[in-house]
Amino acid sequence: MQRFDRYWIGITLGLLLPLLFCVVYIDNFHLWNAIRQLGSAIYPTMSKLLLLSVFPNMALVFVFYTTDTWRLSKGVLIGAMPYMIGATLLTI
């Protein structure tokens, strides 16, 4: 596992996993039409969805900490930051 202990792998996982989670969540609950119809009124819901999408990253951070791959876990945290900043900006 030490050969995968790289920052760029963690950042890539941290950026792609929440995006994948958002797409699966929206598709699973059939929210595509609601997003199209509500337009700009969807910002509070998207803010909550962005915060929710970071939870799989937190699970990955826990797994990577238990396997002593510190750079990988820090990269996942760095990759999660744009989603948390975006959720904060959408609530303002």
Side-chain angles (χ1 to χ4, degrees):
M1 192 72 173
Q2 293 298 326
R3 67 179 175 177
F4 296 115
D5 193 18
R6 305 278 185 262
Y7 282 114
W8 68 271
I9 295 173
I11 292 171
T12 304
L13 283 173
L15 288 172
L16 292 179
L17 190 63
L19 181 67
L20 180 66
F21 181 82
C22 282
V23 169
V24 169
Y25 187 87
I26 290 171
D27 193 48
N28 191 31
F29 289 105
H30 309 292
L31 297 176
W32 293 113
N33 285 335
I35 290 171
R36 271 187 244 125
Q37 290 175 354
L38 290 176
S40 65
I42 199 73
Y43 289 140
T45 305
M46 291 306 289
S47 171
K48 306 260 187 308
L49 182 62
L50 285 175
L51 285 176
L52 182 67
S53 69
V54 177
F55 279 104
N57 278 6
M58 297 304 119
L60 267 182
V61 167
F62 175 73
V63 168
F64 293 148
Y65 272 150
T66 57
T67 59
D68 290 332
T69 50
W70 305 108
R71 288 187 204 114
L72 195 54
S73 60
K74 286 188 257 183
V76 170
L77 282 176
I78 291 169
M81 288 299 160
Y83 292 98
M84 290 188 271
I85 292 169
T88 305
L89 292 175
L90 284 177
T91 57
I92 295 175

